[in-house]
Amino acid sequence: MPGHPKRLPADSRRSATVATVVELAAEQNPGDITTAAIAARMGLTQGALFRHFPTKDAILEAVMAWVAERLLARIDAATRETASPGAALAAIFLTHVDFVSRHAGIPRMIFGELQRPGKTLPKKVVQRMLAEYGERLQRVLEAGKAHGEFDAALDARAAAALFIGSIQGLVVQSLLAGDTTRMRRDAPGVFAIYLRGIRRSS
């Protein structure tokens, strides 16, 4: 990756830092990424980096906030014109998989943050993102029940958890295989099984 210009406005420098961390996380264990490595990739000194982020946790918090904003915005855009709750769920599922496959370092970072002890700021951002994601899913699932598309006895909260868990399973398998294209290939079949499980019986 070419070095970032050394003279950038503060907002642009922060955005460039986030992009750099996402790139590094796709190449190595996110836990091993140091501020020195981030600065070196950007062609900066650590002192210059710390002028925009006082700590490494502040950098990670910004990365997680970037992930949350982009993923939720893409999900909202994907479902805006869908014709039914089932189509909305399909759009969410495939949009999420596409987002992760394009940014392979993101799931590594999220899994890493959730395993860290204590209530870190990056972890709180991830937890808030998952809560908002789950609320969106539950609204779609309840709409499907109301329209008779999904089983009236469906537990929307459990169904939302299973939806997210199905994507997480695809991500883990692709990481183990070292092939991020695998999740895109397997996603339609996995979602089809999920959808059959929640549809109203004829």
Side-chain angles (χ1 to χ4, degrees), residues 64-141:
M64 293 299 103
W66 179 90
V67 171
E69 179 184 351
R70 297 301 190 284
L71 178 57
L72 294 176
R74 291 190 184 193
I75 285 171
D76 290 342
T79 58
R80 200 164 289 132
E81 303 298 329
T82 50
S84 68
L89 285 181
I92 294 172
F93 198 94
L94 298 178
T95 296
H96 189 161
V97 168
D98 178 71
F99 181 78
V100 172
S101 67
R102 290 176 185 273
H103 304 286
I106 288 175
R108 293 177 180 177
M109 296 189 69
I110 290 176
F111 290 147
E113 284 304 316
L114 293 177
Q115 293 178 66
R116 289 176 66 189
K119 297 180 179 180
T120 66
L121 290 175
K123 182 188 289 188
K124 288 181 180 178
V125 175
V126 174
Q127 291 170 333
R128 186 164 58 247
M129 176 187 71
L130 291 174
E132 292 180 13
Y133 192 153
E135 289 170 1
R136 283 166 166 77
L137 290 173
Q138 289 183 57
R139 286 197 294 268
V140 175
L141 290 161

Coordinates of all heavy atoms in Angstrom, one line a residue, residues 64-141:
M64 N -13.7 0.2 15.6 CA -15.0 -0.4 15.9 C -16.2 0.5 15.5 O -17.2 0.0 15.1 CB -15.0 -0.9 17.3 CG -14.0 -2.0 17.7 SD -14.3 -3.5 16.8 CE -12.9 -3.4 15.6
A65 N -16.0 1.8 15.8 CA -17.1 2.7 15.5 C -17.3 2.8 13.9 O -18.4 2.9 13.4 CB -16.8 4.1 16.0
W66 N -16.1 2.8 13.2 CA -16.2 2.8 11.7 C -16.9 1.5 11.2 O -17.8 1.6 10.4 CB -14.8 2.8 11.2 CG -14.7 2.8 9.7 CD1 -14.7 3.9 8.9 CD2 -14.6 1.6 8.8 NE1 -14.6 3.5 7.5 CE2 -14.5 2.1 7.5 CE3 -14.5 0.3 9.1 CZ2 -14.4 1.2 6.4 CZ3 -14.4 -0.6 8.0 CH2 -14.4 -0.1 6.7
V67 N -16.6 0.4 11.8 CA -17.3 -0.9 11.4 C -18.8 -0.8 11.7 O -19.6 -1.1 10.8 CB -16.7 -2.1 12.2 CG1 -17.5 -3.3 11.9 CG2 -15.2 -2.3 11.8
A68 N -19.1 -0.4 12.9 CA -20.6 -0.3 13.2 C -21.3 0.6 12.3 O -22.4 0.3 11.8 CB -20.7 0.2 14.7
E69 N -20.8 1.8 12.0 CA -21.4 2.8 11.2 C -21.6 2.3 9.8 O -22.7 2.3 9.2 CB -20.6 4.1 11.2 CG -21.2 5.2 10.3 CD -20.3 6.4 10.2 OE1 -19.3 6.5 10.9 OE2 -20.6 7.3 9.3
R70 N -20.5 1.7 9.2 CA -20.6 1.2 7.8 C -21.5 0.0 7.7 O -22.3 -0.1 6.7 CB -19.2 0.8 7.3 CG -18.2 2.0 7.2 CD -18.6 3.1 6.3 NE -17.6 4.1 6.1 CZ -17.2 5.0 6.9 NH1 -17.7 5.1 8.1 NH2 -16.2 5.8 6.6
L71 N -21.4 -1.0 8.6 CA -22.2 -2.2 8.5 C -23.7 -1.9 8.6 O -24.5 -2.3 7.8 CB -21.7 -3.2 9.5 CG -22.5 -4.5 9.5 CD1 -22.5 -5.2 8.1 CD2 -22.0 -5.5 10.6
L72 N -24.0 -1.1 9.6 CA -25.4 -0.8 9.9 C -26.0 0.0 8.7 O -27.2 -0.2 8.3 CB -25.6 -0.1 11.2 CG -25.3 -1.0 12.4 CD1 -25.4 -0.2 13.7 CD2 -26.2 -2.3 12.5
A73 N -25.2 1.0 8.2 CA -25.7 1.8 7.1 C -25.9 0.9 5.9 O -26.9 1.1 5.1 CB -24.7 2.9 6.8
R74 N -25.1 0.0 5.6 CA -25.2 -0.9 4.4 C -26.5 -1.8 4.6 O -27.2 -2.0 3.6 CB -24.0 -1.7 4.2 CG -22.8 -0.9 3.8 CD -21.7 -1.8 3.3 NE -20.5 -0.9 3.0 CZ -19.4 -1.4 2.3 NH1 -19.4 -2.7 1.9 NH2 -18.4 -0.6 2.0
I75 N -26.7 -2.2 5.8 CA -27.9 -3.1 6.1 C -29.1 -2.3 5.8 O -30.1 -2.7 5.2 CB -27.8 -3.6 7.5 CG1 -26.8 -4.8 7.6 CG2 -29.2 -4.2 7.9 CD1 -26.5 -5.2 9.0
D76 N -29.2 -1.1 6.4 CA -30.3 -0.2 6.2 C -30.6 0.1 4.7 O -31.8 0.1 4.3 CB -30.2 1.1 7.0 CG -30.2 0.9 8.5 OD1 -30.7 -0.1 8.9 OD2 -29.7 1.8 9.2
A77 N -29.5 0.4 4.0 CA -29.7 0.6 2.5 C -30.2 -0.6 1.8 O -31.0 -0.5 0.9 CB -28.4 1.1 2.0
A78 N -29.7 -1.8 2.2 CA -30.0 -3.0 1.5 C -31.5 -3.4 1.7 O -32.1 -4.0 0.8 CB -29.1 -4.1 1.9
T79 N -32.1 -3.0 2.8 CA -33.4 -3.4 3.1 C -34.5 -2.4 2.7 O -35.7 -2.7 2.8 CB -33.6 -3.7 4.6 OG1 -33.2 -2.6 5.4 CG2 -32.7 -4.9 5.0
R80 N -34.0 -1.2 2.3 CA -35.0 -0.1 2.1 C -36.0 -0.4 1.0 O -37.1 0.0 1.1 CB -34.1 1.1 1.7 CG -34.9 2.4 1.9 CD -33.9 3.6 1.9 NE -33.1 3.7 3.1 CZ -31.8 3.8 3.1 NH1 -31.1 4.0 2.0 NH2 -31.2 3.9 4.3
E81 N -35.6 -1.1 -0.1 CA -36.5 -1.4 -1.2 C -37.0 -2.8 -1.3 O -37.5 -3.2 -2.3 CB -35.8 -1.0 -2.5 CG -35.3 0.5 -2.5 CD -36.5 1.5 -2.4 OE1 -37.6 1.2 -2.9 OE2 -36.2 2.6 -1.9
T82 N -36.8 -3.6 -0.2 CA -37.2 -5.0 -0.3 C -38.7 -5.2 -0.2 O -39.4 -4.4 0.4 CB -36.5 -5.8 0.9 OG1 -36.8 -5.1 2.1 CG2 -35.0 -5.9 0.6
A83 N -39.2 -6.2 -0.9 CA -40.6 -6.4 -1.1 C -41.3 -7.1 0.1 O -42.5 -7.1 0.2 CB -40.9 -7.1 -2.4
S84 N -40.5 -7.8 0.9 CA -41.1 -8.6 2.0 C -40.1 -8.8 3.1 O -38.9 -8.6 2.9 CB -41.5 -10.0 1.5 OG -40.3 -10.8 1.1
P85 N -40.5 -9.2 4.3 CA -39.6 -9.5 5.4 C -38.6 -10.5 5.0 O -37.4 -10.4 5.4 CB -40.5 -9.9 6.5 CG -41.8 -9.2 6.3 CD -41.9 -9.2 4.8
G86 N -39.0 -11.6 4.3 CA -38.0 -12.6 3.9 C -37.0 -12.1 3.0 O -35.8 -12.4 3.1
A87 N -37.4 -11.2 2.1 CA -36.4 -10.6 1.2 C -35.5 -9.7 1.9 O -34.3 -9.5 1.6 CB -37.1 -9.8 0.1
A88 N -36.0 -9.0 3.0 CA -35.2 -8.1 3.8 C -34.1 -8.9 4.5 O -33.0 -8.5 4.6 CB -36.1 -7.3 4.8
L89 N -34.5 -10.0 5.1 CA -33.6 -10.9 5.8 C -32.5 -11.4 4.9 O -31.3 -11.4 5.2 CB -34.3 -12.1 6.4 CG -35.1 -11.8 7.7 CD1 -35.7 -13.1 8.2 CD2 -34.2 -11.2 8.8
A90 N -32.9 -11.7 3.6 CA -31.9 -12.2 2.7 C -30.9 -11.1 2.3 O -29.7 -11.3 2.2 CB -32.6 -12.7 1.4
A91 N -31.4 -9.9 2.2 CA -30.6 -8.7 1.9 C -29.6 -8.4 3.0 O -28.4 -8.2 2.8 CB -31.4 -7.5 1.6
I92 N -30.1 -8.5 4.2 CA -29.2 -8.3 5.4 C -28.1 -9.4 5.4 O -26.9 -9.1 5.6 CB -30.0 -8.3 6.7 CG1 -31.0 -7.1 6.7 CG2 -29.1 -8.3 7.9 CD1 -31.9 -7.2 7.9
F93 N -28.5 -10.6 5.3 CA -27.5 -11.7 5.4 C -26.4 -11.6 4.4 O -25.2 -11.6 4.7 CB -28.3 -13.0 5.2 CG -27.6 -14.3 5.7 CD1 -27.8 -14.8 6.9 CD2 -26.7 -14.9 4.9 CE1 -27.1 -15.9 7.4 CE2 -26.0 -16.1 5.3 CZ -26.2 -16.6 6.6
L94 N -26.8 -11.4 3.1 CA -25.8 -11.3 2.0 C -25.0 -10.0 2.1 O -23.8 -10.1 1.8 CB -26.5 -11.5 0.7 CG -27.2 -12.8 0.5 CD1 -27.9 -12.8 -0.9 CD2 -26.3 -14.0 0.6
T95 N -25.6 -8.9 2.5 CA -24.9 -7.7 2.7 C -23.8 -7.8 3.8 O -22.7 -7.4 3.6 CB -25.8 -6.5 3.0 OG1 -26.7 -6.3 1.9 CG2 -25.0 -5.2 3.3
H96 N -24.2 -8.4 4.9 CA -23.2 -8.6 6.0 C -22.1 -9.5 5.5 O -20.9 -9.2 5.8 CB -24.0 -9.3 7.1 CG -23.1 -9.4 8.4 ND1 -23.7 -9.5 9.6 CD2 -21.8 -9.3 8.6 CE1 -22.8 -9.6 10.6 NE2 -21.6 -9.4 10.0
V97 N -22.4 -10.6 4.8 CA -21.3 -11.5 4.4 C -20.4 -10.8 3.4 O -19.2 -10.9 3.4 CB -21.9 -12.8 3.7 CG1 -20.9 -13.6 3.0 CG2 -22.6 -13.6 4.8
D98 N -21.0 -10.0 2.5 CA -20.2 -9.3 1.5 C -19.2 -8.3 2.2 O -18.1 -8.2 1.9 CB -21.1 -8.6 0.5 CG -20.3 -7.8 -0.5 OD1 -19.7 -8.4 -1.4 OD2 -20.3 -6.5 -0.4
F99 N -19.8 -7.6 3.2 CA -19.0 -6.6 4.0 C -17.8 -7.3 4.6 O -16.7 -6.8 4.5 CB -19.9 -5.9 5.0 CG -19.2 -4.9 5.8 CD1 -18.9 -3.6 5.3 CD2 -18.8 -5.1 7.1 CE1 -18.3 -2.6 6.0 CE2 -18.1 -4.1 7.8 CZ -17.9 -2.9 7.3
V100 N -18.0 -8.4 5.3 CA -17.0 -9.1 6.0 C -15.9 -9.6 5.0 O -14.7 -9.6 5.3 CB -17.5 -10.2 6.9 CG1 -16.4 -11.0 7.5 CG2 -18.4 -9.6 8.0
S101 N -16.4 -10.2 3.9 CA -15.5 -10.8 2.9 C -14.6 -9.7 2.3 O -13.4 -10.0 1.9 CB -16.2 -11.6 1.9 OG -17.0 -10.7 1.0
R102 N -15.1 -8.5 2.2 CA -14.3 -7.4 1.7 C -13.3 -6.8 2.7 O -12.3 -6.2 2.3 CB -15.2 -6.2 1.2 CG -16.0 -6.6 0.0 CD -16.9 -5.4 -0.4 NE -17.8 -5.8 -1.5 CZ -17.5 -5.6 -2.7 NH1 -16.3 -5.1 -3.1 NH2 -18.3 -5.9 -3.7
H103 N -13.5 -7.1 4.0 CA -12.7 -6.5 5.1 C -12.3 -7.7 6.0 O -12.9 -7.8 7.1 CB -13.4 -5.4 5.8 CG -13.8 -4.3 4.9 ND1 -13.0 -3.4 4.4 CD2 -15.1 -3.9 4.5 CE1 -13.6 -2.5 3.7 NE2 -14.9 -2.8 3.7
A104 N -11.4 -8.6 5.6 CA -11.2 -9.8 6.3 C -10.6 -9.6 7.7 O -10.8 -10.5 8.5 CB -10.2 -10.7 5.5
G105 N -10.0 -8.4 7.9 CA -9.5 -8.2 9.3 C -10.5 -7.9 10.3 O -10.3 -8.0 11.5
I106 N -11.7 -7.4 9.9 CA -12.7 -7.0 10.8 C -13.2 -8.1 11.8 O -13.2 -7.9 13.0 CB -13.9 -6.3 10.1 CG1 -13.5 -5.0 9.5 CG2 -15.1 -6.2 10.9 CD1 -14.5 -4.3 8.6
P107 N -13.6 -9.3 11.3 CA -14.0 -10.3 12.2 C -12.9 -10.7 13.2 O -13.2 -11.0 14.4 CB -14.4 -11.5 11.3 CG -13.8 -11.2 10.0 CD -13.7 -9.7 9.9
R108 N -11.7 -10.7 12.7 CA -10.6 -11.0 13.6 C -10.5 -10.0 14.8 O -10.3 -10.3 15.9 CB -9.3 -11.0 12.9 CG -9.1 -12.1 11.9 CD -7.8 -11.9 11.1 NE -7.6 -13.0 10.1 CZ -6.5 -13.0 9.3 NH1 -5.6 -12.0 9.4 NH2 -6.4 -14.0 8.4
M109 N -10.7 -8.7 14.4 CA -10.7 -7.7 15.4 C -11.8 -7.8 16.4 O -11.7 -7.6 17.6 CB -10.6 -6.3 14.8 CG -9.4 -6.0 13.9 SD -9.3 -4.3 13.4 CE -9.0 -3.5 14.9
I110 N -13.0 -8.0 15.9 CA -14.2 -8.1 16.7 C -14.1 -9.3 17.7 O -14.3 -9.2 18.9 CB -15.5 -8.3 15.9 CG1 -15.7 -6.9 15.2 CG2 -16.7 -8.6 16.7 CD1 -16.9 -6.9 14.2
F111 N -13.7 -10.5 17.2 CA -13.5 -11.6 18.0 C -12.5 -11.4 19.1 O -12.6 -11.7 20.3 CB -13.2 -12.9 17.2 CG -14.2 -13.4 16.4 CD1 -13.9 -14.0 15.1 CD2 -15.6 -13.3 16.7 CE1 -14.9 -14.5 14.3 CE2 -16.6 -13.8 15.9 CZ -16.3 -14.4 14.7
G112 N -11.4 -10.7 18.7 CA -10.4 -10.4 19.7 C -10.8 -9.4 20.8 O -10.5 -9.6 21.9
E113 N -11.6 -8.4 20.4 CA -12.1 -7.5 21.4 C -13.1 -8.1 22.3 O -13.0 -7.8 23.5 CB -12.8 -6.3 20.7 CG -11.9 -5.3 20.0 CD -10.9 -4.7 21.0 OE1 -11.3 -4.4 22.1 OE2 -9.7 -4.6 20.7
L114 N -13.9 -9.0 21.8 CA -14.9 -9.6 22.7 C -14.2 -10.6 23.7 O -14.8 -10.9 24.8 CB -15.9 -10.4 21.9 CG -16.9 -9.5 21.0 CD1 -17.8 -10.3 20.2 CD2 -17.7 -8.5 21.9
Q115 N -13.0 -11.0 23.4 CA -12.3 -11.9 24.3 C -11.5 -11.2 25.4 O -11.0 -11.8 26.3 CB -11.4 -12.8 23.5 CG -12.1 -13.8 22.7 CD -11.2 -14.7 21.9 OE1 -10.4 -15.5 22.4 NE2 -11.2 -14.5 20.6
R116 N -11.3 -9.9 25.2 CA -10.5 -9.1 26.1 C -11.2 -9.0 27.5 O -12.4 -8.7 27.5 CB -10.2 -7.7 25.6 CG -9.2 -7.7 24.4 CD -9.0 -6.3 23.8 NE -8.4 -5.4 24.8 CZ -8.3 -4.1 24.6 NH1 -8.8 -3.5 23.5 NH2 -7.7 -3.4 25.5
P117 N -10.5 -9.1 28.6 CA -11.1 -8.9 29.9 C -11.5 -7.5 30.1 O -10.9 -6.6 29.6 CB -10.0 -9.4 30.8 CG -8.7 -9.2 30.1 CD -9.0 -9.4 28.7
G118 N -12.5 -7.3 31.0 CA -12.8 -5.9 31.3 C -13.8 -5.3 30.4 O -14.1 -5.8 29.3
K119 N -14.2 -4.1 30.7 CA -15.2 -3.3 29.9 C -14.4 -2.2 29.1 O -14.5 -1.1 29.5 CB -16.3 -2.7 30.8 CG -17.1 -3.8 31.5 CD -18.2 -3.1 32.4 CE -19.0 -4.1 33.1 NZ -20.1 -3.5 33.9
T120 N -13.7 -2.7 28.1 CA -13.0 -1.7 27.3 C -13.9 -0.9 26.4 O -15.0 -1.4 26.1 CB -11.9 -2.4 26.4 OG1 -12.6 -3.2 25.4 CG2 -11.0 -3.4 27.3
L121 N -13.5 0.3 26.0 CA -14.3 1.1 25.1 C -14.5 0.4 23.7 O -15.6 0.4 23.2 CB -13.6 2.5 24.9 CG -13.7 3.4 26.2 CD1 -12.9 4.7 25.9 CD2 -15.1 3.7 26.5
P122 N -13.5 -0.2 23.1 CA -13.8 -0.9 21.9 C -14.8 -2.0 22.0 O -15.7 -2.2 21.1 CB -12.4 -1.5 21.5 CG -11.4 -0.5 22.1 CD -12.0 -0.2 23.4
K123 N -14.7 -2.7 23.1 CA -15.7 -3.8 23.4 C -17.1 -3.2 23.5 O -18.1 -3.8 23.0 CB -15.3 -4.6 24.6 CG -16.3 -5.8 24.9 CD -16.0 -6.4 26.2 CE -14.7 -7.2 26.2 NZ -14.6 -8.0 27.5
K124 N -17.2 -2.1 24.2 CA -18.6 -1.5 24.3 C -19.1 -1.1 23.0 O -20.3 -1.2 22.8 CB -18.5 -0.3 25.3 CG -18.2 -0.6 26.7 CD -18.1 0.6 27.6 CE -17.9 0.3 29.0 NZ -17.8 1.5 29.9
V125 N -18.3 -0.6 22.1 CA -18.8 -0.2 20.7 C -19.3 -1.5 20.0 O -20.4 -1.5 19.4 CB -17.7 0.4 19.9 CG1 -18.1 0.7 18.5 CG2 -17.2 1.7 20.6
V126 N -18.6 -2.6 20.1 CA -19.0 -3.8 19.5 C -20.3 -4.3 20.1 O -21.2 -4.7 19.3 CB -17.9 -4.9 19.6 CG1 -18.4 -6.3 19.1 CG2 -16.6 -4.5 18.9
Q127 N -20.4 -4.3 21.4 CA -21.6 -4.8 22.0 C -22.8 -3.9 21.6 O -23.9 -4.4 21.4 CB -21.4 -4.8 23.5 CG -20.4 -5.8 24.0 CD -20.1 -5.6 25.5 OE1 -20.1 -4.5 26.0 NE2 -19.7 -6.7 26.1
R128 N -22.6 -2.6 21.5 CA -23.7 -1.7 21.1 C -24.1 -2.0 19.7 O -25.3 -2.0 19.3 CB -23.2 -0.3 21.3 CG -24.4 0.8 21.0 CD -24.0 2.1 21.6 NE -22.8 2.7 21.0 CZ -21.6 2.8 21.7 NH1 -21.6 2.5 23.0 NH2 -20.6 3.3 21.1
M129 N -23.1 -2.2 18.8 CA -23.4 -2.5 17.4 C -24.2 -3.8 17.3 O -25.2 -3.9 16.6 CB -22.1 -2.7 16.6 CG -22.4 -3.1 15.2 SD -20.8 -3.6 14.3 CE -20.4 -5.1 15.1
L130 N -23.8 -4.9 18.1 CA -24.6 -6.1 18.0 C -26.0 -6.0 18.6 O -26.9 -6.6 18.0 CB -23.8 -7.2 18.8 CG -22.5 -7.7 18.2 CD1 -21.8 -8.6 19.1 CD2 -22.7 -8.3 16.8
A131 N -26.2 -5.1 19.6 CA -27.5 -4.9 20.1 C -28.4 -4.2 19.1 O -29.5 -4.5 18.9 CB -27.4 -4.0 21.4
E132 N -27.8 -3.2 18.4 CA -28.6 -2.4 17.4 C -28.9 -3.3 16.2 O -30.0 -3.3 15.6 CB -27.8 -1.2 16.9 CG -27.7 -0.1 18.0 CD -26.9 1.1 17.5 OE1 -26.7 1.2 16.3 OE2 -26.6 1.9 18.4
Y133 N -28.0 -4.2 15.8 CA -28.2 -5.1 14.7 C -29.3 -6.1 15.1 O -30.2 -6.3 14.3 CB -26.9 -5.9 14.5 CG -26.8 -6.7 13.3 CD1 -25.5 -7.0 12.7 CD2 -27.9 -7.3 12.7 CE1 -25.4 -7.8 11.6 CE2 -27.7 -8.1 11.5 CZ -26.5 -8.3 11.0 OH -26.4 -9.1 9.9
G134 N -29.3 -6.6 16.3 CA -30.3 -7.5 16.8 C -31.7 -6.9 16.8 O -32.7 -7.5 16.4
E135 N -31.7 -5.6 17.2 CA -33.0 -4.9 17.2 C -33.6 -4.8 15.8 O -34.8 -4.9 15.5 CB -32.8 -3.5 17.8 CG -32.6 -3.6 19.3 CD -32.2 -2.2 19.9 OE1 -32.1 -1.2 19.1 OE2 -32.0 -2.1 21.1
R136 N -32.7 -4.5 14.8 CA -33.2 -4.4 13.4 C -33.7 -5.8 12.9 O -34.8 -5.8 12.3 CB -32.0 -4.0 12.5 CG -31.6 -2.5 12.5 CD -30.3 -2.3 11.9 NE -30.0 -0.9 11.6 CZ -29.7 0.0 12.5 NH1 -29.6 -0.3 13.8 NH2 -29.4 1.3 12.2
L137 N -33.0 -6.8 13.3 CA -33.5 -8.2 12.9 C -34.8 -8.5 13.5 O -35.7 -9.0 12.8 CB -32.4 -9.2 13.3 CG -31.1 -9.2 12.5 CD1 -30.1 -10.2 13.1 CD2 -31.3 -9.6 11.0
Q138 N -34.9 -8.2 14.8 CA -36.2 -8.5 15.5 C -37.4 -7.7 14.9 O -38.5 -8.3 14.8 CB -36.1 -8.2 17.0 CG -35.2 -9.2 17.7 CD -35.1 -8.9 19.2 OE1 -36.1 -8.9 19.9 NE2 -33.9 -8.7 19.7
R139 N -37.2 -6.5 14.4 CA -38.2 -5.8 13.8 C -38.7 -6.4 12.5 O -39.9 -6.5 12.2 CB -37.8 -4.3 13.5 CG -37.8 -3.4 14.7 CD -37.7 -2.0 14.4 NE -36.5 -1.6 13.7 CZ -35.4 -1.2 14.3 NH1 -35.4 -1.1 15.7 NH2 -34.3 -0.8 13.6
V140 N -37.7 -6.9 11.7 CA -38.0 -7.6 10.4 C -38.7 -8.9 10.7 O -39.7 -9.2 10.1 CB -36.7 -7.9 9.6 CG1 -37.1 -8.7 8.4 CG2 -36.1 -6.5 9.2
L141 N -38.3 -9.6 11.7 CA -38.9 -10.9 12.1 C -40.3 -10.7 12.6 O -41.2 -11.5 12.2 CB -38.0 -11.6 13.1 CG -36.7 -12.1 12.6 CD1 -35.7 -12.4 13.8 CD2 -36.9 -13.4 11.8

